Amino acid sequence: MKYIFSPDNQAALQQALTGKVLFAFDYDGTLAPITAHYADTSTPSVVIQSLKELAATQKVVIITGRSVADVSSRLGFTPYAIVGNHGAEGLGNANAGKYAALVAAWRTTIETSHADDFRAAGIVLEDKGCSLSLHYRQAHDLAAARQLILQACAALSPPARIFGGKCIVNITPHDAPDKADALLTLARTEGVDTAVFVGDDQNDEVVFERAPTHWLTVRVGETPRSAARYYLERQAEMATFIETILLLLAQR
Ligand SMILES: O=P(O)(O)OC[C@H]1O[C@H](O[C@H]2O[C@H](CO)[C@@H](O)[C@H](O)[C@H]2O)[C@H](O)[C@@H](O)[C@@H]1O
């Protein structure tokens, strides 16, 4: 991974901005800083301002693990498109009703069998319609809480797709599109030459892994485990990153 702001890599950014570009951003940890409770998250005003400017001339899309309704209320600007539930919601997905029924049944199973032990362990369930998230950021014993969640998930029928993240275990239908499916579909239907994608978490790695080589993939936070080609050191650099894009676009 290379630091996107190092002088050597400005050329890569400039190169990515030639032609018709789709700008795609993850939400939590990317546009907004991580907060102790998911309901308390908001977009910093500098990020809103730069995104508004970018969206005035470019196609800006949000691809998030949250529901579309939830993230819409936090963005502070209107993007070209929003894909929610890790790829399962939006883009006219014909299976949304099926996913919602499956998720509702899983929620009932989890709450019927685990409401008390989850509460005692400090685990919180977030129901996003087409997926569930089990948060353990507030747990006194993080490892034990995660283990409890994984045991509960293993018993779900039909089996769910389970993946982790930042103090979270996500539960989605097996056949639901993921973030990479969604972004590759959008890039194709919009007929863009390239895409810029910024994310920070495990659910963004599918995009980093499957992005065509000419796309610019950026991870918030450096790690050798990521398939992203570039990184930002921290979420607080996000506004500067978008402002840099605006400057380079003005010079095209
Ligand atoms: O794909 P994203 O937009 O990054 O969404 C991923 C999940 O983000 C949220 O959870 C994470 O952020 C919370 C607020 O900062 C934090 O408390 C939690 O520990 C993180 O995992 C959101 O609540 C989930 O629904 C998303 O799936």
Side-chain angles (χ1 to χ4, degrees):
M1 282 175 112
K2 296 183 272 189
Y3 184 48
I4 193 64
F5 286 140
S6 79
D8 291 354
N9 298 325
Q10 289 297 291
L13 184 51
Q14 204 151 15
Q15 175 64 31
L17 300 181
T18 48
K20 205 170 154 194
V21 190
L22 187 64
F23 294 91
F25 299 95
D26 160 60
Y27 184 68
D28 289 276
T30 298
L31 296 182
I34 293 293
T35 53
H37 195 278
Y38 69 86
D40 298 335
T41 310
S42 62
T43 316
S45 56
V46 279
V47 174
I48 295 177
Q49 194 45 48
S50 58
L51 284 169
K52 273 185 179 166
E53 264 186 66
L54 187 63
T57 60
Q58 305 294 318
K59 286 182 177 165
V60 175
V61 302
I62 304 301
I63 308 209
T64 177
R66 289 186 185 250
S67 71
V68 171
D70 179 344
V71 86
S72 302
S73 70
R74 297 174 199 277
L75 284 174
F77 83 110
T78 307
Y80 180 71
I82 303 178
V83 175
N85 277 283
H86 311 280
E89 181 191 13
L91 304 183
N93 194 319
N95 288 321
K98 188 184 89 176
Y99 300 151
L102 200 53
V103 164
W106 285 335
R107 177 180 178 166
T108 303
T109 303
I110 290 170
E111 287 185 332
T112 305
S113 314
H114 298 286
D116 292 342
D117 47 350
F118 275 18
R119 196 175 310 109
I123 296 164
V124 175
L125 183 146
E126 180 189 6
D127 184 346
K128 296 161 313 170
C130 292
S131 73
L132 297 174
S133 289
L134 290 161
H135 293 267
Y136 56 95
R137 190 171 288 278
Q138 311 295 337
H140 11 277
D141 182 339
L142 295 180
R146 185 170 170 275
Q147 205 46 43
L148 201 56
I149 294 170
L150 292 178
Q151 275 164 11
C153 290
L156 294 177
S157 175
R161 185 195 297 155
I162 309 293
F163 52 95
K166 295 184 170 170
C167 294
I168 196 171
V169 175
N170 297 292
I171 303 172
T172 68
H174 252 300
D175 59 344
D178 61 22
K179 286 190 175 193
D181 296 320
L183 188 51
L184 287 163
T185 299
L186 264 170
R188 191 180 60 248
T189 54
E190 294 303 322
V192 294
D193 300 307
T194 189
V196 172
F197 175 71
V198 193
D200 74 310
D201 206 351
Q202 204 168 310
N203 63 350
D204 302 310
E205 285 298 325
V206 284
V207 182
F208 299 146
E209 283 159 15
R210 289 175 59 197
T213 49
H214 65 287
W215 285 19
L216 190 92
T217 53
V218 184
R219 186 181 191 277
V220 178
E222 186 188 13
T223 164
R225 294 184 308 277
S226 178
R229 296 191 186 94
Y230 297 92
Y231 71 91
L232 289 169
E233 275 174 0
R234 56 188 73 87
Q235 190 282 326
E237 291 180 330
M238 199 60 225
T240 309
F241 178 66
I242 302 169
E243 282 156 14
T244 306
I245 288 174
L246 288 166
L247 275 174
L248 292 171
L249 287 172
Q251 290 165 12
R252 288 207 298 194

